[in-house]
């Protein structure tokens, strides 16, 4: 409920669309993380070292952010499309909770 309230406040602030969407996704991520944390009947166990799994995407994201900062049109990176094989509605909530913040900030699938 508090994240919905914060998102309403964000909608009246003079933010760019990209920044407002990024902040909304971060609030959503923290709300899902809090919900999972306070649900003792739900346990999450990663299947290995998730930092190794996310490293290629994080490196690509870091390079894309550097290219955007340089304003070099030729060096701009293509967007990354992350496709999930959903088997339940819980998958979306869990994916939002466990994505690295840098990757989630650039996601627009749920917003556009």
């Amino acid at each position: 409920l508090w994240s919905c309230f914060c998102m309403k406040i964000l909608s009246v602030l003079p933010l760019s669309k990209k920044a407002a969407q990024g902040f909304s996704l971060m609030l959503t991520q923290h709300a899902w993380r809090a919900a999972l944390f306070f649900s003792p009947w739900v346990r999450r166990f990663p299947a290995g070292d998730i930092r190794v799994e996310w490293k290629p995407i994080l490196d690509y994201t870091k390079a894309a952010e550097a290219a955007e900062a340089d304003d070099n049109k030729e060096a701009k990176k293509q967007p990354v499309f992350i496709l999930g094989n959903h088997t339940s509605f819980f998958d979306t909530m869990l994916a939002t909770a466990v994505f690295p913040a840098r990757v989630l900030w650039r996601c627009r699938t749920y917003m556009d």
Side-chain angles (χ1 to χ4, degrees):
L1 189 58
W2 60 268
S3 61
C4 292
F5 177 73
C6 292
M7 285 183 213
K8 283 292 184 188
I9 291 174
L10 281 174
S11 68
V12 297
L13 294 176
L15 297 171
S16 69
K17 182 179 178 181
K18 186 176 180 179
Q21 289 175 349
F23 285 124
S24 293
L25 283 169
M26 293 295 104
L27 287 168
T28 303
Q29 182 182 49
H30 290 297
W32 285 128
R33 284 181 178 178
L36 290 171
F37 179 78
F38 289 113
S39 301
W41 55 89
V42 178
R43 294 188 188 114
R44 297 180 298 155
F45 298 106
D49 189 5
I50 58 173
R51 290 175 291 192
V52 173
E53 299 290 331
W54 281 105
K55 186 171 179 3
I57 295 173
L58 289 171
D59 291 344
Y60 188 86
T61 304
K62 193 179 293 186
E65 289 171 354
E68 283 180 5
D70 290 343
D71 276 342
N72 185 353
K73 301 287 184 194
E74 296 169 3
K76 291 214 183 229
K77 298 280 189 178
Q78 292 294 317
V80 175
F81 186 79
I82 299 173
L83 179 67
N85 184 9
H86 298 289
T87 57
S88 70
F89 291 111
F90 187 69
D91 292 345
T92 304
M93 181 179 78
L94 188 60
T96 304
V98 300
F99 268 34
R102 175 175 273 159
V103 174
L104 189 65
W105 180 269
R106 299 177 66 85
C107 286
R108 295 295 173 257
T109 304
Y110 299 118
M111 302 300 287
D112 287 339

